[in-house]
Amino acid sequence: MKKYAKIITAILIISMLSLALFACINPDSDKEGKMTLVILDGDNAQEYVVDLSKLPSGNSQSGLISVLEYLQNEGRLTYSVDGTLLTRVGNLKNDAGANKWIWLYTDVETDINVTEWAAQITYKGKTYTDSGIGAKQMSIKNGCTIIITYMIYN
């Protein structure tokens, strides 16, 4: 009986460790198709169409970070993070003195901010809502558009 208890305990521990290992992978992201990333600085917009099959797999990168990492590795865009906060994306840079912060907008329904403080912008005639989650948790879907711009607090 003790032998079976040890085997069952070992199986449970291995199962829990496996779940913890893969918990960081974003299961809501598509692996095929294309998405559009827009860096919007005032009236200046840079669009990047990204082939989702080219994004890194595994749990080291996920969500929007995997898109930014791919574009940076391709030499098309630079970005930096401080902990979990995006501090620079292309020419956009946080400026605490001016209360100017990098902000994320999306058209993926599961990621939008649903609070009463949700912000929206219009780009090319379509409305986008700010993300209710962080860049690493964002879903990357075939056909989606994510806009990175500034939010300025007065």
Side-chain angles (χ1 to χ4, degrees):
M1 189 67 147
K2 285 186 179 185
K3 182 179 179 180
Y4 291 117
K6 288 181 182 181
I7 292 171
I8 291 172
T9 302
I11 291 172
L12 287 173
I13 289 172
I14 290 170
S15 297
M16 288 181 2
L17 290 174
S18 296
L19 286 173
L21 176 66
F22 295 106
C24 295
I25 296 174
N26 190 341
D28 294 329
S29 293
D30 291 339
K31 306 259 186 271
E32 294 182 6
K34 295 185 179 187
M35 63 87 60
T36 303
L37 176 69
V38 179
I39 310 299
L40 188 59
D41 187 2
D43 291 333
N44 182 23
Q46 293 179 296
E47 291 189 11
Y48 302 89
V49 176
V50 177
D51 181 348
L52 301 180
S53 68
K54 306 240 185 217
L55 296 180
S57 60
N59 65 359
S60 62
Q61 300 293 330
S62 63
L64 179 59
I65 298 299
S66 64
V67 174
L68 296 173
E69 185 71 19
Y70 168 74
L71 291 170
Q72 182 165 274
N73 289 341
E74 291 285 309
R76 298 168 56 194
L77 177 72
T78 59
Y79 82 101
S80 61
V81 294
D82 182 8
T84 59
L85 180 67
L86 283 171
T87 56
R88 179 183 299 246
V89 179
N91 292 327
L92 302 179
K93 182 180 176 186
N94 288 337
D95 183 353
N99 287 325
K100 194 174 186 180
W101 303 97
I102 292 174
W103 214 251
L104 309 172
Y105 292 84
T106 185
D107 60 0
V108 177
E109 286 289 321
T110 57
D111 292 354
I112 64 171
N113 183 351
V114 294
T115 69
E116 64 184 280
W117 301 282
Q120 294 184 324
I121 61 170
T122 302
Y123 178 72
K124 290 189 173 180
K126 185 174 176 182
T127 301
Y128 297 86
T129 304
D130 65 328
S131 177
I133 56 178
K136 194 168 186 177
Q137 291 80 32
M138 291 182 79
S139 301
I140 307 301
K141 297 288 198 179
N142 179 34
C144 81
T145 299
I146 295 176
I147 300 173
I148 304 175
T149 189
Y150 285 120
M151 171 68 78
I152 301 171
Y153 292 99
N154 295 323

